[in-house]
Structures are given as C-alpha cells and as structure tokens.
Amino acid sequence: MKFPSEPFKIKVVEPIRRTTREERDRLLRGAGYNLFQVPAESVYVDLLTDSGTSAMSDDQWAGLMLGDESYAGSRNYYHFEQAVRSIFGYTHVIPTHQGRMAENLLFSTVVKPGACVPNNIHFDTTRANVEHQGAEALDVVIKEAYDPHCEMPFKGNMDVVRLEETINRIGPDRIPLVMLTITNNSGGGQPVSMDNVRRTRVLLDRYRIPLFFDACRFAENCFFIKEREPEFVSTPILDIARELFSYGDGCTMSAKKDGLVNIGGFLSLNDDRWAQDITNMLILVEGFPTYGGLAGRDLEAMARGLREVLDEDYLAFRIGQVRYLGELLDQAGVPILKPIGGHAVYLNAKEFLPHIPRAQFPAQSLVAALYREYGIRGVEIGTVMFGKTDPATGRTAYPELEMVRLAIPRRVYTNMQITYVAESIIELFRRRETTCGLRLTYEAPVLCHFTARFEEVLQSSPVAQPAF
C-alpha cells in the first residue's frame, strides 16, 4: 500500500470540540495572534508540535501501574537505563524531565564563553542554550537544505567541507563538541545519512572533537536511512540505530518525540568526567540521578516507548501519514518544502503568501489564518523564531526559510482528520490574497516566539522593520 493503514486499533477516545469562526477570531485577538496563547480545548486539529503529544500504547499505560516511586534506585530507572543502553550504547544514562534540560546540563557544563558549537541546524531551544553560555551556535548544514524545491534525499546532512573550514578558522580548542540533529527539524524534518555521519566522525577524529546527536527523532531518521541508502535496505531499524550512535560520543534526547511519551528525556554519554560534572548539576537543579525530575512511572513508560518506536510497521505508518498530508497538498499546488519530512509537513509561507513582505511575518500570518478559518493550529518556523536585528543598524537578518510547520502527533489523528487538514489548507491557498500581515507589538529577549504578540496590518499600512 502507498500509505499503510494504522498498525493499531483505538481503545480510548477523547472528545474534541468544534468552535465557530467568531469564537476563534475572538480568541486569536486575545492571544495577540500567537497560537501558543490559545487554549488547546479551542483547537480542532492541533499540529503545533509532535513533542509530548503522542498517544501511549496499552503496554505503556500498563507500565504506569508498575511505577516504583522510590527516591533512589527505582527499578523503573534500571529498566530505562537498560533500554537506552541497548539502543544508544553510551556508558552513562542521565534522565531529565525533557530535552531542553538535557541540553542545558550539557552546555552549561562543557561550553564556555567564546566557544562555538557547530550543528547541521540548531533548533530553537538548542540554540538558546548554547547562546545562554556566551557561545556561538553555528549552522553548518549543506546548502541544499535552504532550497525548498530540492528533492535531495538527505537534506539534513552536515556540510563536512564547511565544517572543516570552520574548525580551521575558529580553532579546535574553541569547539567543545559538534552536534548533529536527527532528523533536522529546523530544516524541514530532513534526515541525515549514515554516510554523512561516518564522514563527520572521521573529520572530528582528526581534531579530537566529540560528536553528539540531538536524537529526539532518531527512529524516523533511521527509517529514512533504511528507505534511501541501499546499504541498509535489509537492515533492521535497531541495528541501524546502533551503528549510527556508535559514531558519536553521546546524545541529548527529548523522549517526548520518538520516546512516545508525554514527558521525559535524557542525556547519555561516554566521558566519565563530563558525566560526573553533569550529574552534580542534575542533583542541584533536577533531582537524584535515578529519577532526574521524573516519576518512576514516567521512566517506565519511556523505557517501553523507546522499544516500541523501533517497530517497522509503526514507522511505515508514521512516515506514511506525514507523506499522505504532504502529497495531498503538493498535488493541489500548495507550496511545501520538499522532500516531505519525517514528523511534519512544512508550508512555504513566502510562496503561499507572496503579497505579505517578510517584515509582516508571512509564516505567522499563515498560522493565524489557518486557525481562524479552520481551527487548525500550526507553528511558525521563520522570522519570529529565528530572525535577528543588528542593534547597530536596526536591519533584520531574515532566516533562509519562512515556513509553517504542521507537526503530526504520533498515533493521535486518523487519516480522515489529516484529509480535513489538507482540504482546509487547499481552500485557504485558493483565497490567500485575503490573508493580512502582522505587526509585532511585544517580544521577549529570549525565545520570543513563545510569548510574542502581534496585531493585524491592513494591506495599505506601511511596512515597518521588526525588531529582534
């Protein structure tokens, strides 16, 4: 089958409420046109994120009843530790309540002011955690990643030539580690090939620089390796994952993605000294090393989810459902980023709303219109999230891509609901000229996309440069 049917059946249902356009318009205005501020109960199909929004299996729910809530040495921690080591293979397993805490612990321990952390493309919290340490978060993805029409199979790849130039320009002593985000979320959910991981490892070995993975969507990346690299067509997903992580020195992970849980994450690594320093910090800010800010039942659900996510029938359906949405849109002429990624479809807002200038936030405008008209919530991945203004000149440096991400939660929505999303976007695209731009009225100094506020701009209004 082109789009595999669900490899599960529904046991529990959650009612969702339809709202009127008038209600959504009122909520949108009250939220300052920022969908993070809209109540979830007023959203019909919620594609804001695939993080922590998965539906857990009956086996995971059963595991919750086996939670050992001992402060130290919970049996669930040892189940979790065994699951992580069996897949990722690193010596130390440090649980955290979610991925950004794993990032914070790692970077606050090993990254110093003036340092540089190269990545294919940093996501928002990763970049913020690096910059919070006074270091530079540098994106070194291949140039094809910024071409939304390029159909290259591994657009998440690190540009190994440019990475070596960066090392020589900056100096290896200023680079405490290099990261690879798999799949590359900010670049459209695009995978990294095993060949690219190997070549990156060989390069870093010459300079004795550690390689870490942002592994939150590792299973989806491994599925693409199996699908697109002939060497691995007959290799089980677990074996692909084990080889991939064997080229690294550690990883951070938000298990709220490919751990199939609603809360949880971890940091896993080989370096004994780093692990000791990180564990000392963990005790100060998160909790004891065998619970790391989580209940024992959450550790058990995470251990079981990490094994479930490697099931190839599940992954075929998961990737297939995302692809189903993307192909419906593409066939109707809606501009999307290609090839279709692993966890989300990305609308190309610059081409979707060409009448709205970058200074009026076309991606955020599209997010607002999609909610007001159809009750669908997506998220802006563009100027609001990544734009920066030079304080000396006042000029805004716009990101290469201006996108709306439609992140599909795992095992949550039926294909009929996905079809509704496609039909709604197609209809909005056909009358796209009616969508207005936005003006920024409030921004926070860090991660402003979570709390920024806007107001609509009449099309006759003058364009003002946003301040970031």
Side-chain angles (χ1 to χ4, degrees):
M1 289 181 291
K2 188 176 182 182
F3 301 112
S5 60
E6 289 85 346
F8 52 82
K9 59 183 179 180
I10 297 169
K11 184 176 289 188
V12 176
V13 296
E14 175 188 350
I16 51 179
R17 185 172 69 93
R18 288 185 181 271
T19 53
T20 65
R21 186 188 186 281
E22 291 72 23
E23 181 182 354
R24 294 191 298 270
D25 182 63
R26 175 177 55 79
L27 289 168
L28 194 59
R29 291 173 186 273
Y33 297 88
N34 187 333
L35 272 293
F36 282 102
Q37 309 303 317
V38 170
E41 67 177 3
S42 299
V43 176
Y44 178 58
V45 178
D46 199 345
L47 308 181
L48 180 75
T49 182
D50 63 321
S51 179
T53 56
S54 301
M56 292 201 301
S57 68
D58 55 354
D59 186 61
Q60 288 177 291
W61 279 105
L64 293 181
M65 300 305 296
L66 300 175
D68 172 7
E69 306 308 336
S70 303
Y71 184 87
S74 161
R75 66 173 174 266
N76 306 119
Y77 169 76
Y78 296 111
H79 295 167
F80 164 70
E81 181 186 51
Q82 181 184 33
V84 173
R85 282 189 178 151
S86 71
I87 299 167
F88 300 86
Y90 303 125
T91 305
H92 302 281
V93 178
I94 301 168
T96 62
H97 79 276
Q98 62 179 24
R100 71 187 64 179
M101 177 52 73
E103 295 169 348
N104 181 273
L105 289 167
L106 176 64
F107 297 138
S108 65
T109 301
V110 308
V111 176
K112 307 303 179 188
C116 175
V117 178
N119 199 328
N120 45 2
I121 304 182
H122 293 78
F123 196 56
D124 57 350
T125 60
T126 319
R127 184 182 305 278
N129 270 303
V130 171
E131 293 176 349
H132 186 65
Q133 305 305 318
E136 179 185 10
L138 186 65
D139 296 337
V140 198
V141 72
I142 57 173
K143 67 179 185 302
E144 289 85 354
Y146 297 115
D147 179 358
H149 304 288
C150 176
E151 295 271 9
M152 186 175 180
F154 290 101
K155 284 171 68 176
N157 280 355
M158 182 77 78
D159 187 331
V160 180
V161 172
R162 193 152 62 93
L163 178 59
E164 183 163 27
E165 292 171 352
T166 299
I167 294 170
N168 290 326
R169 173 174 56 84
I170 293 175
D173 293 343
R174 288 181 54 203
I175 301 176
L177 67 140
V178 168
M179 293 201 76
L180 267 174
T181 303
I182 55 172
T183 55
N184 188 5
N185 187 2
S186 296
Q190 300 298 313
V192 177
S193 70
M194 189 73 80
D195 176 67
N196 186 251
V197 173
R198 290 168 177 163
R199 291 189 295 113
T200 302
R201 174 75 272 172
V202 169
L203 169 64
L204 296 182
D205 278 345
R206 293 208 299 269
Y207 295 94
R208 299 183 179 180
I209 297 173
L211 174 63
F212 273 66
F213 294 97
D214 177 342
C216 64
R217 297 179 180 88
F218 78 97
E220 293 168 9
N221 198 101
C222 291
F223 182 89
F224 282 121
I225 288 174
K226 182 180 179 72
E227 184 180 64
R228 298 176 181 179
E229 284 190 87
E231 176 186 350
F232 296 98
V233 67
S234 300
T235 307
I237 296 291
L238 175 59
D239 291 343
I240 294 172
R242 285 171 171 166
E243 178 176 343
L244 187 152
F245 291 115
S246 74
Y247 299 118
D249 298 284
C251 69
T252 61
M253 182 165 179
S254 169
K256 295 163 67 176
K257 285 84 168 176
D258 274 355
L260 300 177
V261 291
N262 308 123
I263 196 70
F266 63 86
L267 172 59
S268 192
L269 69 163
N270 289 329
D271 190 286
D272 295 337
R273 182 175 58 82
W274 283 11
Q276 184 61 60
D277 291 343
I278 288 166
T279 300
N280 290 339
M281 181 63 70
L282 177 86
I283 295 171
L284 177 65
V285 300
E286 273 282 83
F288 195 71
T290 57
Y291 77 88
L294 293 167
R297 56 183 173 267
D298 296 321
L299 290 167
E300 187 65 33
M302 192 159 38
R304 296 179 184 217
L306 286 169
R307 293 191 173 102
E308 286 182 13
V309 78
L310 297 170
D311 179 80
E312 296 190 16
D313 287 338
Y314 156 76
L315 285 168
F317 169 74
R318 164 65 175 164
I319 303 296
Q321 188 177 54
V322 176
R323 196 170 286 163
Y324 171 66
L325 173 59
E327 293 195 357
L328 286 176
L329 297 175
D330 187 43
Q331 289 164 8
V334 176
I336 64 172
L337 186 143
K338 297 179 184 179
I340 298 160
H343 69 289
V345 173
Y346 291 70
L347 304 178
N348 183 346
K350 285 194 292 186
E351 295 183 9
F352 196 112
L353 299 174
H355 63 286
I356 297 179
R358 297 293 295 275
Q360 291 182 4
F361 311 105
Q364 188 69 27
S365 301
L366 181 52
V367 166
L370 191 58
Y371 173 71
R372 178 161 51 198
E373 301 301 325
Y374 306 103
I376 299 166
R377 178 160 66 171
V379 69
E380 192 260 17
I381 308 284
T383 299
V384 180
M385 185 175 287
F386 293 122
K388 292 183 181 294
T389 292
D390 185 331
T393 65
R395 292 186 174 277
T396 298
Y398 295 107
E400 294 281 348
L401 298 171
E402 187 80 20
M403 299 181 292
V404 171
R405 186 186 71 181
L406 306 170
I408 299 180
R410 296 162 182 81
R411 306 188 294 203
V412 171
Y413 290 116
T414 68
N415 282 342
M416 282 300 294
Q417 288 165 316
I418 297 301
T419 302
Y420 168 79
V421 171
E423 291 176 349
S424 299
I425 294 170
I426 291 166
E427 184 177 283
L428 183 63
F429 180 64
R430 288 172 179 162
R431 52 188 183 87
R432 55 194 177 275
E433 294 83 3
T434 62
T435 300
C436 296
L438 297 172
R439 178 188 297 112
L440 186 71
T441 62
Y442 168 77
E443 59 171 317
V446 179
L447 295 172
C448 74
H449 55 283
F450 288 118
T451 56
R453 297 182 68 85
F454 306 86
E455 62 184 12
E456 280 194 309
V457 177
L458 297 178
Q459 294 196 19
S460 59
S461 299
V463 176
Q465 285 285 323
F468 282 98

